[in-house]
Amino acid sequence: MALDMGAAPETLLSVRGLSVAAGDRPILTDISFDLAPRSILSVIGATGSGKTVLARALASWLSPPLRVTGGRILFRGRDLVADPAHARSLAGREIAYVGGNPAGALDPTMTVGAQLVEKLRAVRPDMSADDARKKAIRLLEAVHIPSAQRRFHEYPFQYSGGMMQRAMIVDALISDPALLIADNITQPLDVTVAAQILKLMRELNAQFSTAILFICSSLPVACDASDEVMVLHEGRVVERQTPAALVARPGHAYTRELIAELPTLWQGGENGASRATDRERRAIMSVRGLAKAYEVRARGQAGISRVQAVRNVDFDVFPGDNFGVVGESGCGKSSLMRLLTGLERPDAGSVFFEGENVGAASPKRLRELRRRFQLVLQDPYGCLPPQSPIGAILEEPLKIHRIGNAAERRDRARAVMAEVGLDDSLYRSLPTGLSAGQRQRLNVARAMILEPRLLIMDETLSALDQTEQGKLLDLFDKLQAQHGFTYIFISHDLTMVRRVCSRIAVMYLGETVEVAPNERLFFDPGHPYSRALLSAAPTLEERRYRPEDCLLEGEPPSPIDLPPGCAFASRCPHAFDRCRTENPALRARGGHALAACFLNPEPDIGLHETVTETPHV
Amino acid sequence: MFILRFLARRLGQGAIIIFLVSALIFTLLRVVPGDPVRLMVGGMAPDTLVEEIAAEMGLRDPIYVQFGRYMGKVLQGDLGESFVRPASGAAVGGASFDDATRGERAKVLDLIAETAPMTLQLAVLAMVFALMVGVPIGVWGGLYPGRLPDRLALYTSSLFVSLPNFWLGIVLALLLSVKLNLLPAIGYRGFSYTILPALVLAVEIAPFIIRTLTVSVAGVMGQTFIDIARVRGLSRNQIVFRHALKNSAVPLLNLLGVQFSMLLGGVLVIEFIFDYPGLGLLTINAVMQRDFPLIQGIAIVTAAVFVLINIAVDLLATAIDPRLDY
Ligand SMILES: Nc1ncnc2c1ncn2[C@@H]1O[C@H](COP(=O)(O)OP(=O)(O)O)[C@@H](O)[C@H]1O
Ligand code: SF4
Ligand SMILES: [Mg+2]
């Protein structure tokens, strides 16, 4: 009998002195760590600290100019660096990889199911197509994809971002790998979906005994997810501890700083509540009973369906305010943004900007109005033209509005670059070389060059890590103090909203279900959906709302042909009969807070907020 | 259901296109100088006779009246009769002549029905040749952008583009047919007569195919799902043949649709050089003889083919890429 049978290898993965360089520039230096079977190890670090490069090195997926310059990656004792053929044979079979951008990860012309089967049979040729299909459907069910049987036959573009991420997890796990490398898989997801994915990952880890290397840029998420946390800083491992120990006794300066600067939801620290809203002045933007439906033709279905993207939206934004709009993806935030900026006309209701109805303005008037309210989009999806130099990008809005001559425009562009902290030497460079943070600065600069009064930020910061976000928020503060901007932040990130916004609207399925001052929303939310969002927000604090009580399963129902009654009724833990027949309107709860839920007491007629902020019927 | 609605909509649009094309051609033929009657009766005939015949044929009515009369017949499937060509069977059958200048004329529809299959055969063969050359070179070039295969693709297509087709036609005819006696060149007496003109046409089309494929394959190969397929455990062959090619197919399909429509519309120069009895030759002769009904008929049929090919291309494209909606 072989003696080594009983001696199960203690470590699955053992990295020794791994160094990676891009050309001559070292990216990873002397990385060493072990990963035991069935354990979850988180890796955190700032943007650019080398997390993705590490993930790709472990998956044997480095492409030039990146290359391993030293060290070993021992998987079950065999060195993957020295034996690329062996490494290739493990890819997708023993070592699986899930990335942070599920969009585009699968062939758009083939159904998700067909690709899962294709992948499984590529690494397990002995498996029959039928068995492969059954296994794929079983796993799709395991990751809580609703009606997996039907979804199996759908195309990637029919999946939402959260569902696609789950499908990619299925794709990684379908071959029963021993190691799963998950690079930033929750970053692009809504908090509620991210919380579900984390829960799912731990279940899968227990069920399929897969070891997981969980790479992430958010400390709370990393601590939440793993047995141990490893900190990467400038390409080196600087410490490794259990989550509790790491938070209690961080060993490295970077970790200490990260923990100190961690934005909090409930424990005080900097927050937007301190900002006094000037309710005496006229609202700069005032939204009343706004509604917009899109007509869509669902594939393989007769007739036209109406998607109610925005319904019953009401709120006021006062000058100098930081107004937040939060909600999960698909809840209508971006449609709302298009209505606010006049890119689309509402079906009903109105948007008043400084007393003028944007929804009814002529195209010419709209162009003039747009000088005074500007939109800042999130960049990762490429809203910067890659071929024009930064200076030209900035001067373009001035040209369009025929402001100044060439020299004046150039001076103005340079001044704005200085204000947002872009180096003057970048004036002639192309935006392709910019880091994510710099790109956001450029976006902001482009929006503010026309000296607007109101800036609408659509997910502007969601692609940045904590440190970069902090820097940009400070910049926004400074600009606000200098120019008297009013901001509307559209975001799915509650921590960010808590930190900067004075008043916050919560959207669910196109409706504003709650509009409340910062403090009130976080300490006394008036809607069960707001509580669910709070329970899912990543934080190291003692939670005020426990996920077990509040967290929702699944995803919001489709906004096509909504049933009558409260839109939240299908997921609400408190729903009762009335909720299914009657739709609750926004009602005042005192202290300028409004919520649309029957659980709140009927308001006294005459409270003065009901006059300023309830729908005109 | 959708497909029916799609077809109804596109056929409706097609009918409008065909109507507009006919109106345009009809008007242009009648406003530009050159009188078909003069050609018919000969240069020596007195002007009064020309006027008499023209009036009798309705050619002196206002254009919209003529057009109305013409479209009325077209709707009944009657494209009219050629001004100049005799019906092929007429002479043998001894049909009655009741007018010295106006004998039994060939039906336009018959003339087109005789020649269109010839052109179709030529077009299909040319397309097959072009694909046989273009697809391997184009795909190979797209897989290695900036490297040798890509440059080869570029050189090949530059070379093909720079060869004037009439010159190439003559050279190939001299070489393959006169010198080596491998292929027949002039006229048509069997399938082998199609090969030479098809080759010349293929050389003309292949650069477009090569260019489209290198660009679209290179674009697809740079996409995330191709890059990730490797770590998902798919083999190189699976990645290229099942995913990259399928995703590059839509631009190629659109190109083929346009090219094929152009080929069917008559490959004038080539058919003329090789004296190949297809639509192109028919068109050239019709134009030279100012045979209005024939020119109009060819225009209508060509427009209809163009519409149908486009519908087929769009249907195929949605079958390949479900994101494209009808
Ligand atoms: N393909 C590449 N070529 C050259 N440099 C790269 C490449 N990929 C990443 N880098 C560099 O490696 C460093 C680490 O990047 P990355 O691993 O993506 O960081 P993280 O994932 O921690 O944000 C960065 O400085 C980045 O510019
Ligand atoms: S109205 Fe009813 S269903 Fe809607 S949130 Fe309140 S309790 Fe839940
Ligand atoms: Mg990364």
Side-chain angles (χ1 to χ4, degrees):
Chain A
M1 202 195 276
L3 278 175
D4 56 346
M5 282 261 302
E10 274 308 301
T11 55
L12 177 70
L13 178 73
S14 176
V15 178
R16 288 289 166 268
L18 179 69
S19 297
V20 174
D24 294 332
R25 187 165 68 101
I27 305 287
L28 295 177
T29 316
D30 198 18
I31 304 269
S32 298
F33 68 92
D34 288 333
L35 183 63
R38 282 180 291 284
S39 61
I40 306 184
L41 173 64
S42 284
V43 179
I44 64 160
T47 308
S49 60
K51 304 182 299 296
T52 299
V53 171
L54 175 61
R56 293 179 69 129
L58 297 181
S60 310
W61 190 30
L62 291 180
S63 43
L66 294 174
R67 69 205 157 84
V68 174
T69 50
R72 289 178 302 163
I73 301 172
L74 301 165
F75 183 81
R76 293 206 167 111
R78 278 182 75 174
D79 186 4
L80 304 185
V81 177
D83 190 352
H86 178 60
R88 251 198 315 281
S89 74
L90 295 177
R93 176 193 297 259
E94 289 291 328
I95 301 180
Y97 175 93
V98 188
N101 184 6
L106 287 183
D107 186 338
T109 66
M110 272 170 80
T111 62
V112 173
Q115 296 186 66
L116 293 175
V117 169
E118 179 192 29
K119 131 101 193 220
L120 179 53
R121 298 192 67 207
V123 296
R124 301 242 183 287
D126 48 315
M127 192 165 218
S128 80
D130 201 44
D131 288 345
R133 202 191 69 238
K134 287 196 185 112
K135 182 161 188 188
I137 292 178
R138 202 173 68 238
L139 279 176
L140 286 173
E141 276 161 1
V143 299
H144 306 298
I145 296 245
S147 24
Q149 193 87 33
R150 181 169 58 80
R151 291 284 184 182
F152 179 88
H153 297 290
E154 287 188 357
Y155 290 91
F157 72 94
Q158 292 166 294
Y159 277 49
S160 69
M163 271 167 33
M164 200 58 211
Q165 189 61 288
R166 280 182 260 188
M168 289 319 290
I169 291 178
V170 169
D171 185 81
L173 292 176
I174 199 165
S175 54
D176 303 315
L179 169 64
L180 172 66
I181 302 168
D183 184 8
N184 241 335
I185 56 173
T186 56
Q187 166 107 1
L189 301 179
D190 292 315
V191 283
T192 56
V193 178
Q196 287 177 40
I197 297 255
L198 287 186
K199 197 169 131 215
L200 173 77
M201 214 184 59
R202 279 190 303 266
E203 282 167 21
L204 295 171
N205 167 253
Q207 200 180 337
F208 300 101
S209 37
T210 307
I212 300 174
L213 191 75
F214 185 81
I215 293 170
C216 135
S217 55
S218 151
L219 184 61
V221 173
C223 290
D224 203 16
S226 58
D227 306 323
E228 278 190 284
V229 180
M230 184 164 92
V231 182
L232 209 58
H233 181 60
E234 292 177 355
R236 292 170 189 273
V237 175
V238 294
E239 66 180 302
R240 175 176 175 170
Q241 303 199 52
T242 62
L246 185 81
V247 174
R249 291 175 298 279
H252 188 268
Y254 168 73
T255 327
R256 277 197 294 278
E257 197 183 324
L258 194 66
I259 293 174
E261 281 181 357
L262 202 63
T264 56
L265 290 174
W266 294 290
Q267 275 171 3
E270 192 184 346
N271 73 54
S274 48
R275 189 177 300 278
T277 294
D278 185 359
R279 294 186 152 264
E280 296 312 307
R281 291 169 57 190
R282 184 176 64 171
I284 184 168
M285 187 164 262
S286 186
V287 177
R288 286 291 172 272
L290 202 60
K292 176 80 190 173
Y294 300 101
E295 295 198 331
V296 292
R297 267 186 302 120
R299 207 161 244 287
Q301 215 177 311
I304 285 177
S305 311
R306 287 170 66 76
V307 175
Q308 285 286 344
V310 173
R311 315 174 290 146
N312 313 331
V313 169
D314 283 285
F315 58 79
D316 287 320
V317 182
F318 294 95
D321 232 354
N322 279 354
F323 190 83
V325 178
V326 294
E328 287 168 286
S329 61
C331 76
K333 297 189 300 282
S334 296
S335 309
L336 174 66
M337 177 273 293
R338 287 198 295 274
L339 293 172
L340 295 186
T341 48
L343 291 174
E344 266 169 24
R345 310 229 170 227
D347 297 339
S350 46
V351 177
F352 286 99
F353 173 73
E354 297 188 322
E356 232 180 299
N357 192 343
V358 174
S362 70
K364 182 162 169 288
R365 183 73 194 135
L366 251 182
R367 261 197 307 282
E368 288 161 15
L369 283 175
R370 281 220 190 93
R371 275 188 64 177
R372 288 188 282 143
F373 60 82
Q374 282 283 318
L375 186 64
V376 185
L377 291 168
Q378 70 185 120
D379 177 63
Y381 302 107
C383 58
L384 292 174
Q387 310 298 356
S388 16
I390 288 167
I393 293 177
L394 287 175
E395 286 159 29
E396 191 189 85
L398 295 174
K399 265 193 201 147
I400 292 174
H401 288 275
R402 298 205 182 81
I403 298 170
N405 59 29
E408 284 163 7
R409 286 199 288 263
R410 195 177 55 238
D411 293 344
R412 178 90 193 102
R414 291 212 139 104
V416 173
M417 281 175 68
E419 267 198 286
V420 300
L422 286 176
D423 198 84
D424 198 54
S425 62
L426 291 171
Y427 181 82
R428 283 183 209 293
S429 357
L430 296 180
T432 32
L434 298 184
S435 73
Q438 283 175 319
R439 286 172 158 249
Q440 277 318 343
R441 284 166 201 269
L442 176 54
N443 268 332
V444 172
R446 182 161 67 156
M448 61 176 274
I449 198 157
L450 290 169
E451 300 170 14
R453 310 248 299 116
L454 174 69
L455 283 165
I456 301 175
M457 312 275 201
D458 188 10
E459 296 283 7
T460 306
L461 302 180
S462 50
L464 303 180
D465 71 11
Q466 182 196 316
T467 320
E468 269 298 320
Q469 264 196 20
K471 284 189 208 149
L472 268 149
L473 290 174
D474 289 342
L475 171 69
F476 291 168
D477 255 355
K478 192 187 90 191
L479 296 175
Q480 186 165 44
Q482 274 164 15
H483 300 273
F485 292 152
T486 305
Y487 293 119
I488 296 181
F489 288 98
I490 296 177
S491 175
H492 69 261
D493 181 354
L494 281 171
T495 340
M496 195 273 274
V497 165
R498 166 72 173 151
R499 180 172 160 195
V500 295
C501 293
S502 43
R503 289 163 50 71
I504 296 152
V506 180
M507 286 185 75
Y508 185 74
L509 276 183
E511 283 180 313
T512 37
V513 293
E514 178 154 11
V515 183
N518 183 320
E519 206 71 13
R520 189 75 186 277
L521 179 71
F522 284 87
F523 285 88
D524 176 27
H527 197 280
Y529 178 63
S530 311
R531 275 197 287 278
L533 281 181
L534 290 176
S535 78
T539 175
L540 294 176
E541 300 158 78
E542 181 77 41
R543 290 178 182 280
R544 287 181 64 89
Y545 306 97
R546 297 194 316 153
E548 301 83 74
D549 303 335
C550 313
L551 186 58
L552 325 161
E553 274 304 328
E555 304 198 11
S558 128
I560 296 176
D561 307 323
L562 284 168
C566 176
F568 193 53
S570 61
R571 295 164 90 198
C572 179
H574 310 290
F576 53 101
D577 289 346
R578 186 180 175 194
C579 311
R580 295 195 180 83
T581 53
E582 198 183 325
N583 193 6
L586 270 184
R587 288 190 299 200
R589 304 167 61 223
H592 301 298
L594 302 134
C597 170
F598 292 126
L599 293 179
N600 295 305
E602 300 278 340
D604 296 335
I605 308 300
L607 264 180
H608 86 276
E609 303 97 317
T610 55
V611 186
T612 55
E613 234 169 19
T614 42
H616 303 312
V617 184
Chain B
M1 269 316 92
F2 276 142
I3 192 155
L4 288 185
R5 257 224 314 260
F6 165 80
L7 281 178
R9 194 180 76 230
R10 293 293 298 270
L11 288 172
Q13 289 170 358
I16 296 174
I17 293 173
I18 294 170
F19 178 82
L20 292 177
V21 167
S22 337
L24 188 70
I25 294 278
F26 199 91
T27 317
L28 281 180
L29 281 177
R30 278 156 183 77
V31 295
V32 294
D35 192 342
V37 183
R38 169 58 69 191
L39 286 180
M40 281 156 66
V41 298
M44 303 309 284
D47 284 351
T48 49
L49 181 61
V50 171
E51 281 310 309
E52 196 182 308
I53 294 173
E56 190 189 326
M57 290 168 65
L59 286 173
R60 293 295 177 263
D61 296 338
I63 291 178
Y64 64 88
V65 174
Q66 296 184 42
F67 185 62
R69 201 159 48 217
Y70 177 69
M71 281 320 270
K73 283 200 181 154
V74 168
L75 285 181
Q76 292 163 25
D78 179 6
L79 289 180
E81 290 170 1
S82 163
F83 280 172
V84 286
R85 285 165 181 261
S88 42
V92 184
S96 63
F97 288 67
D98 49 26
D99 186 314
T101 50
R102 302 250 307 134
E104 181 83 357
R105 302 296 172 181
K107 291 224 168 284
V108 167
L109 205 55
D110 293 343
L111 287 173
I112 294 175
E114 272 164 32
T115 47
M118 300 300 302
T119 295
L120 184 68
Q121 178 176 322
L122 176 58
V124 169
L125 194 65
M127 210 52 130
V128 170
F129 286 158
L131 286 170
M132 273 164 34
V133 178
V135 169
I137 296 182
V139 170
W140 200 38
L143 289 178
Y144 301 94
R147 311 243 301 271
L148 183 68
D150 188 18
R151 284 203 300 277
L152 271 182
L154 182 66
Y155 297 154
T156 321
S157 32
S158 315
L159 178 72
F160 282 4
V161 162
S162 60
L163 297 174
N165 55 10
F166 60 89
W167 177 81
L168 182 68
I170 293 165
V171 167
L172 282 184
L174 281 177
L175 203 69
L176 296 182
S177 167
V178 178
K179 274 245 160 76
L180 299 174
N181 215 0
L182 284 177
L183 289 169
I186 308 298
Y188 188 82
R189 260 174 292 143
F191 181 75
S192 55
Y193 285 79
T194 315
I195 297 177
L196 211 48
L199 274 178
V200 176
L201 283 172
V203 166
E204 218 175 321
I205 307 165
F208 293 97
I209 294 177
I210 293 174
R211 184 75 198 135
T212 307
L213 270 179
T214 35
V215 170
S216 67
V217 169
V220 169
M221 286 308 286
Q223 286 190 6
T224 326
F225 69 90
I226 295 287
D227 193 20
I228 282 188
R230 211 167 86 210
V231 264
R232 287 177 61 223
L234 301 193
S235 69
R236 171 89 179 164
N237 279 346
Q238 273 175 317
I239 296 173
V240 171
F241 289 104
R242 300 199 45 185
H243 298 284
L245 287 194
K246 188 174 178 201
N247 276 273
S248 339
V250 171
L252 179 67
L253 197 65
N254 287 326
L255 174 84
L256 292 187
V258 173
Q259 295 282 348
F260 203 61
S261 311
M262 278 169 40
L263 286 181
L264 287 186
V267 272
L268 306 181
V269 179
I270 297 305
E271 291 192 1
F272 185 69
I273 293 173
F274 289 96
D275 195 25
Y276 186 88
L279 267 182
L281 202 56
L282 190 66
T283 312
I284 294 176
N285 289 330
V287 169
M288 293 200 297
Q289 295 167 331
R290 309 208 60 77
D291 192 348
F292 288 4
L294 190 51
I295 299 174
Q296 286 154 203
I298 292 173
I300 288 184
V301 169
T302 317
V305 166
F306 184 76
V307 164
L308 291 179
I309 287 180
N310 267 301
I311 294 177
V313 162
D314 286 353
L315 275 179
L316 267 174
T318 28
I320 292 176
D321 188 342
R323 283 169 305 174
L324 304 169
D325 221 341
Y326 300 137

